[in-house]
Amino acid sequence: MSQITLQASVTALRGVGEKLQQKLNKLGITRVSDVLFHLPLRYQDRTRLVPLGSLRMQQECLIEGVINLSQITYGRRRALLCHIGDGSGSLILRFFHFGKSQQQQLAKGQRIRCFGEVRQGPSALEMIHPEYQLLPADEVIPVAATLTPVYPTTEGLHQLTWRKLIAQALTVLAESAIKPLPDEMAKQFSLLEIPLEHALKLVHQPPPEAPVTDLVARQHPAQKRLAFEELLAHQLSMRQLRQQWQQYQAPVLTTDSALSASFLSALPFSLTVAQQRVVGEIYADLQQPIPMQRLVQGDVGSGKTVVSALAAIAAVAGGYQAAIMAPTELLAEQHYQTYKQWLLPLGVSVGWCSGKQTAKQRRDMLAALAQGETDVLIGTHALFQDQVQFQRLALVVIDEQHRFGVHQRLALRDKGHQTTIYPHQLVMTATPIPRTLAMTAYADLQVSIIDSLPPGRQPVTTVVVADNRRQEVIARIHAACQQDRQVYWVCTLIEESEHLQCQAAEQTLADLQQALPDLRLGLVHGRMKSNDKEAIMQRFKAGEIDLLVATTVIEVGVDVPNASLMVIENAERLGLAQLHQLRGRVGRGEIESHCVLLYHPPLSENGSARLTCLRENQDGFEIARRDLEIRGPGELLGTRQTGLPQFRIADLLADAMLLDDISAAADRLMSAYPEQVPVLIKRWFAEKMNFGQV
Ligand code: ADP
Ligand code: MG
């Protein structure tokens, strides 16, 4: 191995053939050093056996016992249940999928060791589909000596493969020299005193004596050290982007046009003070000859769409085009309808661009666009495609930012540019994150906040109810629908896989239909074809469905003002931010709205604090702040649920206290050691800067 360097292609590693290389490339891993920086998402503790008598719910752990009873039950779903005991307590193993031979193996008297998550079952604690190993009756089988890292991965790339690749990459690292950060920096920021090599080695292969709880809680100094550097690299790349932008030119737009005046006077409402302020900030940018790079944050229902329309109007009034992009077909369609309703009467033409158009529709759309007949084009990611060419694009609006990565934003930037003119960019998100965090997460953007809701909004009354009171909830649904209201029933992730989750949603639909035979029910879940999903959502919007059973796919932006009740099952398993987003689907009209958070008792102290916070608060920013307080270290909900950018090891929320130092370190590095900047960025974000996509 000695001649391999960190810069060598991954194919230099043993076992990396063409197929594996392709999979690795898909994750943005091309060089040996990229393997090294593919960091564990978390750890599994298989170093000790937990006595059954001291299991805690939601604990992921290693257990051992003897099967006392093995039986097939035919409840809601056929399942194989194995009751095991170890003298200190008992546990049920539940299998939904099992073969004949498996069933025979899992017989009474068999000693078994399992790894899995402990859950509260209907009658006792359970593990669903644990990993298991059959053990001989009375031999001592050693447990793992070290924590087991779990790597983010892609289909067909197993954890074992990762461990092998990483072991090799660590050998290469041991024989290489990584240019360290300047001494002065290590002195100023104490975390940087740990050499990078040590930190990498420790997180990949924690030695047996490493503190397990610290590592699991992501509190180990080596982890913090890496998080610091990753956030620093992110900050540097964002700043670089921002500097680049400022060297580009953008069309100067006039903002006090007759068009915007007639738009405003035709609107059935007047803008809130917050909306006016944000429009003012946007308009100030649009009058500059450099491209706007602005993020508008506004809670669900705060009225971001009309703000984006005013920006689009400035482009159109100046004789330019605007593009509006949303993350899903449904949201794009919703914008399309809204924009048409607002803009067509003013003589502004609105076009539609989606991946599902027929060849002819597409040709017509492209022609109209290229000839400048379309003023505002609305669509999904299909807008990114190369053939979509604007005649004179001046503004790009991206709604619900967190579904798109930075590099996608960059791709859109390049759409409008002829020679050196770039379009202005407006990014909108409902993710309520505190301003300081937003400034780090989106350091390449200016931030505007719509901090109040339009008048007349009814707060959503939220109640927290144990799921053994399901009957009462069902009666409530019936009552709401009797009054011609509509209802969402959200099934959340209670199952291991999306497949099982969708099955569970189907089962819920069947149960609810039986309980509510006179209502019209519909179902949307992640495994449905997007056409079918859209069709159901459209019918719900049109009032043809009373009760919509859904998985969390309905999270973002959907606007059905007549929906006045939402029931969220297993609410205790979701993050606060996500619950708040979901709840924002109701309370969008003038009707009094309700949200029922169903939980499965008993509720942990933390779970109880979270649900109470949601019951007592309506303001997304306040909820985000409380979320930070309530989640202790060791409880990592991950940024995935909050819509913040994803990192390899850093967590913007958990590492928030590092941000001031990181900003200072970025200043120092840029002014005193500019040659280090590209090194750091490349180390963490490879070529494609595709953080967030793993
Ligand atoms: P979001 O910020 O979640 O995207 P929308 O733009 O969809 O919110 O607005 C939610 C609803 O509020 C829409 O029906 C919109 O027409 C309405 N709305 C927006 N601004 C105002 C306002 N100033 N006064 C009254 N209603 C408004
Ligand atoms: Mg919206």
Side-chain angles (χ1 to χ4, degrees):
M1 296 268 286
S2 56
Q3 57 284 56
I4 304 180
T5 67
L6 289 171
Q7 295 315 313
S9 156
V10 278
T11 49
L13 299 175
R14 264 193 323 278
V16 184
E18 201 175 314
K19 260 202 180 141
L20 183 51
Q21 186 194 5
Q22 277 170 8
K23 283 186 184 138
L24 291 170
N25 287 352
K26 233 171 63 188
L27 295 173
I29 294 176
T30 55
R31 298 162 304 166
V32 174
S33 67
D34 299 333
V35 173
L36 217 46
F37 283 87
H38 192 71
L39 301 178
L41 266 182
R42 58 194 182 89
Y43 297 93
Q44 292 172 342
D45 185 359
R46 299 169 189 245
T47 63
R48 63 199 175 97
L49 287 166
V50 178
L52 297 182
S54 59
L55 291 178
R56 284 180 294 112
M57 270 201 308
Q58 264 139 61
Q59 183 181 16
E60 203 185 31
C61 58
L62 192 69
I63 52 118
E64 199 175 293
V66 173
I67 300 179
N68 299 323
L69 173 69
S70 179
Q71 61 176 161
I72 294 182
T73 61
Y74 300 87
R76 274 166 53 158
R77 273 157 77 192
R78 180 170 171 268
L80 172 64
L81 303 189
C82 302
H83 297 247
I84 65 170
D86 69 351
S88 76
S90 60
L91 179 77
I92 295 176
L93 313 178
R94 185 182 289 269
F95 300 89
F96 294 112
H97 306 282
F98 52 92
K100 192 105 199 128
S101 68
Q102 201 176 9
Q103 188 191 335
Q104 279 159 358
Q105 282 177 341
L106 297 172
K108 185 172 158 134
Q110 172 66 53
R111 191 174 152 220
I112 187 170
R113 181 179 286 179
C114 305
F115 185 83
E117 191 188 336
V118 180
R119 309 222 169 141
Q120 180 66 52
S123 61
L125 292 180
E126 299 189 345
M127 277 187 184
I128 299 174
H129 280 274
E131 273 175 55
Y132 67 86
Q133 179 187 8
L134 302 173
L135 302 179
D138 42 31
E139 204 177 308
V140 178
I141 309 288
V143 294
T146 63
L147 287 177
T148 311
V150 180
Y151 291 96
T153 194
T154 180
E155 198 141 338
L157 227 175
H158 301 292
Q159 295 296 327
L160 196 64
T161 311
W162 280 116
R163 274 178 252 154
K164 284 186 188 153
L165 291 175
I166 285 178
Q168 292 184 63
L170 283 169
T171 316
V172 179
L173 175 69
E175 293 163 358
S176 325
I178 290 192
K179 192 171 184 311
L181 285 169
D183 269 352
E184 175 215 348
M185 303 274 299
K187 286 213 187 73
Q188 193 180 351
F189 307 103
S190 57
L191 275 179
L192 296 178
E193 280 171 8
I194 308 170
L196 182 63
E197 293 86 338
H198 293 196
L200 284 170
K201 169 99 176 125
L202 192 129
V203 300
H204 283 303
Q205 297 179 339
E209 70 278 8
V212 169
T213 40
D214 283 1
L215 275 165
V216 170
R218 232 184 42 92
Q219 291 297 313
H220 193 284
Q223 292 166 307
K224 289 280 164 203
R225 158 44 171 120
L226 293 171
F228 189 98
E229 192 180 301
E230 182 177 28
L231 287 171
L232 179 59
H234 176 258
Q235 176 81 296
L236 291 168
S237 69
M238 294 287 109
R239 289 195 191 188
Q240 233 177 24
L241 274 179
R242 184 143 190 85
Q243 283 181 349
Q244 248 175 39
W245 272 103
Q246 295 188 325
Q247 284 153 27
Y248 297 143
Q249 285 191 310
V252 174
L253 301 176
T254 25
T255 50
D256 55 349
S257 60
L259 194 59
S260 70
S262 35
F263 173 76
L264 284 172
S265 65
L267 266 188
F269 51 77
S270 45
L271 298 187
T272 62
V273 173
Q275 284 169 322
Q276 282 172 22
R277 190 190 64 243
V278 171
V279 170
E281 288 164 3
I282 293 169
Y283 275 9
D285 289 349
L286 296 179
Q287 290 165 17
Q288 300 299 317
I290 49 174
M292 168 171 75
Q293 279 285 83
R294 188 167 285 279
L295 173 75
V296 172
Q297 270 193 292
D299 212 348
V300 282
S302 62
K304 294 184 287 294
T305 318
V306 68
V307 168
S308 71
L310 276 157
I313 282 171
V316 176
Y320 291 93
Q321 293 166 302
I324 319 288
M325 181 167 57
T328 66
E329 192 93 7
L330 185 75
L331 287 176
E333 166 81 26
Q334 193 170 284
H335 282 324
Y336 181 53
Q337 299 303 341
T338 308
Y339 268 77
K340 274 202 303 193
Q341 189 192 334
W342 282 341
L343 298 185
L344 293 185
L346 305 176
V348 175
S349 67
V350 181
W352 171 245
C353 170
S354 111
K356 292 192 202 139
Q357 286 170 309
T358 63
K360 174 167 186 332
Q361 286 169 333
R362 196 172 166 73
R363 257 197 324 273
D364 293 349
M365 179 272 288
L366 291 173
L369 197 64
Q371 286 154 21
E373 285 162 19
T374 302
D375 297 316
V376 180
L377 185 68
I378 298 179
T380 58
H381 311 65
L383 281 172
F384 285 128
Q385 288 159 357
D386 287 342
Q387 312 91 298
V388 180
Q389 291 294 340
F390 293 81
Q391 193 198 41
R392 45 199 161 71
L393 182 65
L395 172 76
V396 172
V397 176
I398 302 177
D399 195 16
E400 306 297 356
Q401 139 82 10
H402 58 282
R403 302 282 183 97
F404 298 107
V406 166
H407 57 285
Q408 284 172 302
R409 270 200 341 249
L410 295 181
L412 263 187
R413 170 192 71 182
D414 294 338
K415 282 274 165 219
H417 89 113
Q418 313 107 349
T419 65
T420 55
I421 307 279
Y422 285 84
H424 297 282
Q425 247 184 42
L426 182 65
V427 176
M428 302 195 295
T429 174
T431 307
I433 44 175
R435 188 183 275 274
T436 46
L437 273 189
M439 285 168 60
T440 308
Y442 309 111
D444 60 326
L445 302 172
Q446 306 287 102
V447 180
S448 291
I449 299 181
I450 307 181
D451 51 10
S452 63
L453 296 181
R457 270 311 144 71
Q458 299 276 351
V460 180
T461 311
T462 303
V463 292
V464 179
V465 175
D467 62 7
N468 49 26
R469 287 168 55 199
R470 219 177 160 96
Q471 283 317 318
E472 290 167 45
V473 176
I474 287 175
R476 203 161 164 170
I477 293 175
H478 195 254
C481 294
Q482 290 287 297
Q483 293 171 19
D484 288 330
R485 302 293 176 227
Q486 288 165 282
V487 180
Y488 293 102
W489 182 291
V490 185
C491 308
T492 59
L493 249 180
I494 44 162
E495 302 284 4
E496 298 295 339
S497 69
E498 196 185 30
H499 175 68
L500 290 178
Q501 193 195 354
C502 296
Q503 271 188 3
E506 274 160 16
Q507 185 64 48
T508 305
L509 175 80
D511 293 349
L512 287 171
Q513 185 70 79
Q514 200 168 26
L516 296 160
D518 55 335
L519 297 187
R520 297 162 301 172
L521 270 64
L523 172 68
V524 283
H525 62 59
R527 287 215 144 197
M528 285 165 68
K529 291 219 187 67
S530 59
N531 272 333
D532 298 342
K533 222 160 39 187
E534 305 281 322
I536 298 281
M537 285 309 303
Q538 292 299 0
R539 284 179 52 210
F540 187 59
K541 265 189 105 154
E544 293 161 21
I545 290 174
D546 304 306
L547 171 58
L548 183 68
V549 178
T551 56
T552 47
V553 295
I554 52 157
E555 201 175 324
V556 193
V558 182
D559 198 15
V560 182
N562 191 46
S564 68
L565 174 61
M566 171 174 284
V567 181
I568 305 178
E569 251 185 313
N570 297 299
E572 76 278 14
R573 297 187 67 95
L574 294 188
L576 277 184
Q578 193 180 13
L579 284 168
H580 178 65
Q581 292 267 325
L582 280 168
R583 181 174 63 175
R585 305 298 114 235
V586 293
R588 297 178 80 85
E590 303 263 296
I591 328 162
E592 203 187 334
S593 297
H594 299 267
C595 178
V596 178
L597 302 175
L598 278 182
Y599 68 90
H600 195 76
L603 200 52
S604 70
E605 198 178 308
N606 193 289
S608 161
R610 294 223 306 266
L611 296 186
T612 305
C613 167
L614 211 71
R615 189 182 67 210
E616 291 173 351
N617 292 287
Q618 298 284 330
D619 174 358
F621 286 94
E622 178 61 18
I623 290 171
R625 202 182 58 73
R626 293 290 307 277
D627 197 14
L628 275 178
E629 280 173 16
I630 298 172
R631 75 167 71 190
E635 191 199 10
L636 293 172
L637 291 173
T639 46
R640 197 167 289 274
Q641 292 178 349
T642 62
L644 291 168
Q646 304 286 307
F647 292 94
R648 291 163 194 263
I649 191 162
D651 175 323
L652 272 181
L653 298 178
D655 296 324
M657 68 287 243
L658 298 178
L659 295 179
D660 283 344
D661 272 359
I662 283 160
S663 188
D667 289 341
R668 186 70 196 141
L669 220 51
M670 284 175 92
S671 59
Y673 309 96
E675 75 287 352
Q676 287 261 3
V677 171
V679 179
L680 268 185
I681 295 176
K682 192 162 173 220
R683 183 182 290 166
W684 286 92
F685 300 119
E687 261 74 34
K688 289 191 283 180
M689 300 219 335
N690 68 341
F691 49 89
Q693 303 306 302
V694 178

